[in-house]
Amino acid sequence: MDSPPSLPPLNSLPPVNWDALDALVLDFARSDRLVVPPHADAADATCPSPPSSPSSCTTTATSSVPSSSSSSSSSYRSRLLILRARRALEAGDVDAALALLRAHAPAALADHRLLFHLHKQRFVELVRRGTEADRKAALDCLRTALAPCALDAYPEAYEEFKHIMLVLIYEKDDQFSPVVNEWSIKRRFELAGLLSSILRAHLRAYDPILSMTLRYLISIHKVYCMREGISSPISDLTERLLFEDRDPPVVPQECSLEAPPFDEVDVQALAHAVELTRQGAVDSLKFTKGDLYQAFQNELCRRKLDLTLLDKLVHEYCIYRGIVEGISELKCSQNNNSNNETVSECEMANNQNGDCSTSDISRDDSWSRRLRRVRSSTSEQQRRKRWRGRVDDLDYACEALLDANKHDSSSPALDMDEDNVVDQQDLVANSNTPNTRNMDDQKYEVVLEMQDLTRKGMASKVVEKISTIDPEFFPQNPILLFQLKQVEFLKLVAFGDHVAALKVASTHLGPLAANNQALLKPLKETLVTLIKPNEDVLNGVSLPVLASSLQVAMSRSLGIKEPQLMKIVRAAIHTHTEWFKLQMCKDRFEHFLKIDSLKEVDPPVGSCSMSKGHTDECGNGSSQITTCSSGKVPDEGSSPQVSSEPACDENAILKVMEFLALPRADAIQLLMQYNGNAETVIQQIFQ
């Protein structure tokens, strides 16, 4: 039996802007207090600024760092509150959850529907305990809390109140009792999920954008693969990362039920973006009084992610990209400023007792010597952040972060500026990794140093050092060598040294182009810069893209595996693009979730216009570099716009989608079969 078709190989998919992903990852790590930078003055020196806070309903592309940090701090505290209340309910401690709400979110208890559900569960838990004192407390709860609340919670509440009283006479182990569902432990989790949804919306305590973007992209990826009948190369990750179940939806209060009708475009966009029924989308918009983006966040955050797995993916990515310190720390040489001395000291220790190195270095001594030789300093590593992991002591964290007296103080425990985090919360996982520097650390450091030098435009130095490490690297990656020499040429032209520039062209660019016909056109365009004004020569150079491609190629050459988060994003971005081609419309939420930024990739240098097949070679199969000269990914890397507009009338599309509860693409296909007439389509379906 033939295997189902699959997506194209990940390495051949359109490029992704990894700098934009860096920003999302860093925002996630900061928002959830996962990193601690070692020096206050370098907190933002080496990493891009985080995107605007997801707790805002605007779609502004950028925001100032202080306001973003303040908003992140508030969101972090609120999310801890929600988590603590959730865990209290899941454990059956309704009193603790109510105490948290009264102390830190009293306005949420104005929702009589929620209050009634909480008191119902409290009554059940008191009866469940079984002691005489608890039974008296349960009866008191009936008289003083549950009965009064049932009168004005919602129309069905009083009937539910009378039904819940049956708990007093039926045992919890009786599987045939009329209140078997009320006794079920599952009710705790349902109520905990409902409370989380309500508090999240009430406090605007939304997850970091990376978390929401992954939920959205993975959901679309799954739907696309299912619809097209193709297998996903990342299914093993996506199935573990994004759970199928969701928290219960928030229910609009009675006063919101008379909200004016919403734009059908918004209703359908929300319904299909987060897989809701039309009525579910309408209810969600009613709850937010028509705010589409707040409703979108409410619904998206109901989807559950495996945070433990996500943290691991983010940590792996941060190490790979040099956002945090490497996979191990060099304890034996903390007071040593010389890199060469550091490694020599470790090797001596290894010969004596094996404390500072692994067997990899002894097996690959030649590699070790070559890696040592090219490493210049640890200044970049010292400016990186330290990974501290997710706080495990939830009670301590909540007490520190939710103390009303400290809420507006400058206490380090409350300050979201990671440079001031108190030592008690610094949970750097030293116990999880040995305090040694092994061969992998050296490889990471060299790759990151080459990436940093490339970003600075020090192309000749990069070529020299890489050739020292691996003489076979550039023969296997000639286009990368061409692009680095292009940078060197353009810098010389910009400085007015045309003689030296021509020497680079004749010595390196010319021979490379002679061996690869695809390089002749870029070579000609490069030589044209000789007649341009010097100040304009470097305007088209995109060093970050070249640096990322070099990093991927070097990593593969050195046996460093690509982070799994990269694989997820690359595949999901591709299917997102393909999905909206099917929908024949632009994604309403891609700017809000920074998906458009992930798709925007500049060419690595000036007007390089090599074919995509050849540019893939320059990253040893990577898709880091786009080959157009316009500064953006071609149509395949962005949502379709003019060329993909449907011939059908938009109102007809919406009418078919609404009446038949169909996805947009299916509605368009039906309309095209019946000359765009929505009434005819509906009649044919219902005949």
Side-chain angles (χ1 to χ4, degrees):
M1 183 176 180
D2 294 336
S3 59
S6 61
L7 289 177
L10 293 179
N11 295 335
S12 67
L13 296 179
V16 173
N17 187 334
W18 298 121
D19 283 343
L21 182 57
D22 286 351
L24 292 178
V25 166
L26 180 58
D27 174 61
F28 174 82
R30 284 174 166 170
S31 297
D32 280 6
R33 308 287 289 272
L34 299 177
V35 293
V36 182
H39 302 296
D41 58 352
D44 296 307
T46 60
C47 297
S49 298
S52 55
S53 170
S55 62
S56 169
C57 286
T58 67
T59 57
T60 305
T62 59
S63 63
S64 62
V65 173
S67 61
S68 178
S69 297
S70 174
S71 178
S72 295
S73 178
S74 174
S75 175
Y76 178 70
R77 291 193 296 265
S78 298
R79 283 183 283 122
L80 278 178
L81 166 65
I82 294 170
L83 182 57
R84 192 178 184 189
R86 182 179 197 128
R87 290 188 178 177
L89 282 182
E90 289 174 350
D93 193 349
V94 183
D95 287 326
L98 284 168
L100 279 171
L101 294 179
R102 292 188 185 107
H104 305 294
L109 294 176
D111 183 345
H112 291 185
R113 182 186 296 267
L114 171 64
L115 189 61
F116 177 67
H117 287 313
L118 288 170
H119 283 312
K120 266 206 312 181
Q121 193 64 33
R122 178 171 176 260
F123 168 71
V124 172
E125 298 301 336
L126 287 169
V127 177
R128 191 195 306 274
R129 293 174 193 169
T131 68
E132 190 64 30
D134 287 324
R135 202 168 185 83
K136 289 181 179 179
L139 292 173
D140 185 63
C141 175
L142 279 176
R143 287 191 297 268
T144 61
L146 198 52
C149 196
L151 295 177
D152 56 3
Y154 48 92
E156 303 84 5
Y158 191 68
E159 286 301 318
E160 292 182 18
F161 164 72
K162 291 188 291 183
H163 181 75
I164 200 68
M165 291 181 67
L166 295 175
V167 168
L168 291 168
I169 60 174
Y170 287 98
E171 295 294 331
K172 60 184 176 182
D173 297 326
D174 185 353
Q175 297 301 312
F176 300 99
S177 76
V179 285
V180 63
N181 291 329
E182 282 70 15
W183 274 119
S184 173
I185 297 296
K186 183 181 177 182
R187 281 298 176 95
R188 291 178 178 176
F189 290 86
E190 292 173 350
L191 180 56
L194 176 63
L195 177 62
S196 297
S197 295
I198 292 173
L199 286 179
R200 189 184 301 118
H202 178 75
L203 300 173
R204 302 289 180 92
Y206 300 116
D207 294 333
I209 289 187
L210 175 69
S211 179
M212 292 193 289
T213 301
L214 287 175
R215 287 180 173 99
Y216 185 59
L217 287 175
I218 291 174
S219 298
I220 291 176
H221 179 81
K222 289 181 176 180
V223 170
Y224 175 80
C225 290
M226 183 179 300
R227 176 188 171 91
E228 297 300 303
I230 60 179
S231 62
S232 167
I234 58 170
S235 59
D236 60 324
L237 287 170
T238 56
E239 294 298 331
R240 288 186 291 134
L241 186 58
L242 184 65
F243 300 130
E244 289 298 326
D245 59 325
R246 312 184 190 194
D247 287 334
V250 290
V251 179
Q253 298 185 35
E254 300 300 322
C255 60
S256 303
L257 295 180
E258 299 303 321
F262 305 110
D263 189 333
E264 189 62 28
V265 174
D266 288 349
V267 174
Q268 294 296 338
L270 180 62
H272 292 287
V274 289
E275 300 175 82
L276 292 176
T277 63
R278 184 181 182 279
Q279 186 58 49
V282 170
D283 288 342
S284 187
L285 286 168
K286 284 180 179 178
F287 184 82
T288 62
K289 297 179 174 59
D291 190 322
L292 175 64
Y293 289 97
Q294 186 185 348
F296 176 67
Q297 290 179 96
N298 289 343
E299 297 300 327
L300 204 56
C301 288
R302 286 174 51 211
R303 299 293 300 267
K304 298 178 183 178
L305 279 174
D306 185 337
L307 275 183
T308 301
L309 176 58
L310 180 57
D311 288 351
K312 290 179 180 177
L313 297 177
V314 168
H315 188 202
E316 178 190 40
Y317 180 88
C318 286
I319 292 174
Y320 184 91
R321 295 289 290 174
I323 297 172
V324 301
E325 292 176 355
I327 57 177
S328 63
E329 296 178 352
L330 189 58
K331 184 177 181 181
C332 63
S333 56
Q334 291 176 346
N335 298 323
N336 216 326
N337 294 325
S338 168
N339 241 12
N340 293 334
E341 293 173 5
T342 289
V343 180
S344 298
E345 182 179 331
C346 279
E347 287 185 338
M348 289 170 54
N350 180 56
N351 292 335
Q352 295 172 7
N353 53 32
D355 287 339
C356 283
S357 182
T358 65
S359 58
D360 288 337
I361 292 182
S362 60
R363 285 199 307 267
D364 299 315
D365 188 57
S366 60
W367 267 107
S368 181
R369 286 198 301 271
R370 279 182 278 171
L371 293 172
R372 272 205 315 277
R373 204 176 306 148
V374 300
R375 294 185 59 213
S376 56
S377 72
T378 57
S379 59
E380 288 300 321
Q381 183 188 13
Q382 289 171 354
R383 294 200 336 249
R384 290 186 209 132
K385 304 177 190 313
R386 285 185 297 149
W387 186 263
R388 58 191 295 271
R390 196 168 293 276
V391 175
D392 292 326
D393 190 351
L394 188 62
D395 291 338
Y396 169 78
C398 286
E399 288 168 8
L401 293 171
L402 300 174
D403 188 337
N405 296 327
K406 296 181 180 179
H407 186 80
D408 295 320
S409 72
S410 58
S411 167
L414 286 174
D415 193 349
M416 268 307 294
D417 183 358
E418 308 95 329
D419 306 315
N420 298 323
V421 175
V422 292
D423 292 339
Q424 295 150 303
Q425 289 186 322
D426 187 359
L427 301 179
V428 179
N430 291 330
S431 59
N432 295 331
T433 57
N435 291 317
T436 61
R437 179 172 299 278
N438 56 26
M439 174 64 80
D440 287 338
D441 287 305
Q442 295 183 49
K443 290 178 180 179
Y444 270 105
E445 288 305 311
V446 170
V447 171
L448 292 172
E449 184 177 352
M450 296 304 102
Q451 181 196 40
D452 183 61
L453 291 175
T454 303
R455 283 176 175 269
K456 294 175 180 177
M458 302 171 69
S460 60
K461 195 170 185 178
V462 170
V463 172
E464 176 188 349
K465 291 195 170 192
I466 292 178
S467 298
T468 302
I469 299 170
D470 184 3
E472 298 300 318
F473 179 79
F474 285 121
Q476 296 171 0
N477 297 274
I479 294 179
L480 269 177
L481 178 60
F482 182 89
Q483 291 172 336
L484 287 166
K485 287 300 178 181
Q486 250 185 329
V487 172
E488 185 179 348
F489 176 91
L490 294 173
K491 285 189 68 178
L492 290 170
V493 173
F495 292 140
D497 193 347
H498 290 186
V499 174
L502 286 171
K503 184 177 180 180
V504 170
S506 60
T507 305
H508 299 284
L509 298 180
L512 287 167
N515 293 324
N516 190 335
Q517 292 295 314
L519 296 176
L520 282 174
K521 184 178 180 182
L523 175 59
K524 295 173 185 177
E525 294 173 346
T526 302
L527 292 174
V528 169
T529 59
L530 289 168
I531 62 174
K532 291 183 178 180
N534 292 351
E535 61 272 14
D536 295 339
V537 170
L538 293 174
N539 287 345
V541 176
S542 181
L543 295 174
V545 177
L546 178 57
S548 293
S549 263
L550 180 66
Q551 180 190 10
V552 171
M554 280 196 70
S555 296
R556 286 176 177 163
S557 177
L558 294 173
I560 299 174
K561 292 183 179 179
E562 181 184 52
Q564 296 182 94
L565 184 62
M566 277 188 171
K567 297 178 182 179
I568 293 174
V569 172
R570 183 182 288 122
I573 286 291
H574 170 69
T575 50
H576 176 273
T577 298
E578 295 302 312
W579 177 248
F580 280 94
K581 283 182 181 178
L582 287 175
Q583 304 303 308
M584 299 185 187
C585 67
K586 188 174 177 64
D587 184 3
R588 295 282 299 275
F589 305 104
E590 71 173 13
H591 178 68
F592 181 76
L593 294 178
K594 313 299 181 186
I595 295 172
D596 55 349
S597 298
L598 292 171
K599 293 182 179 182
E600 291 177 357
V601 185
D602 292 325
V605 287
S607 56
C608 176
S609 56
M610 297 170 287
S611 68
K612 185 178 186 302
H614 286 95
T615 52
D616 282 342
E617 295 176 14
C618 68
N620 192 19
S622 78
S623 57
Q624 294 285 335
I625 298 181
T626 183
T627 60
C628 65
S629 58
S630 63
K632 287 199 176 186
V633 181
D635 288 344
E636 63 185 9
S638 59
S639 294
Q641 296 181 24
V642 178
S643 61
S644 297
E645 286 298 319
C648 307
D649 178 69
E650 184 68 22
N651 289 329
I653 296 172
L654 292 173
K655 183 178 291 186
V656 172
M657 290 174 67
E658 177 184 355
F659 276 88
L660 303 181
L662 290 176
R664 183 182 176 90
D666 293 342
I668 292 172
Q669 289 181 1
L670 282 173
L671 284 167
M672 292 174 68
Q673 293 177 27
Y674 295 96
N675 298 319
N677 190 311
E679 286 76 13
T680 303
V681 170
I682 295 171
Q683 289 173 6
Q684 290 295 324
I685 294 296
F686 284 107
Q687 277 183 355

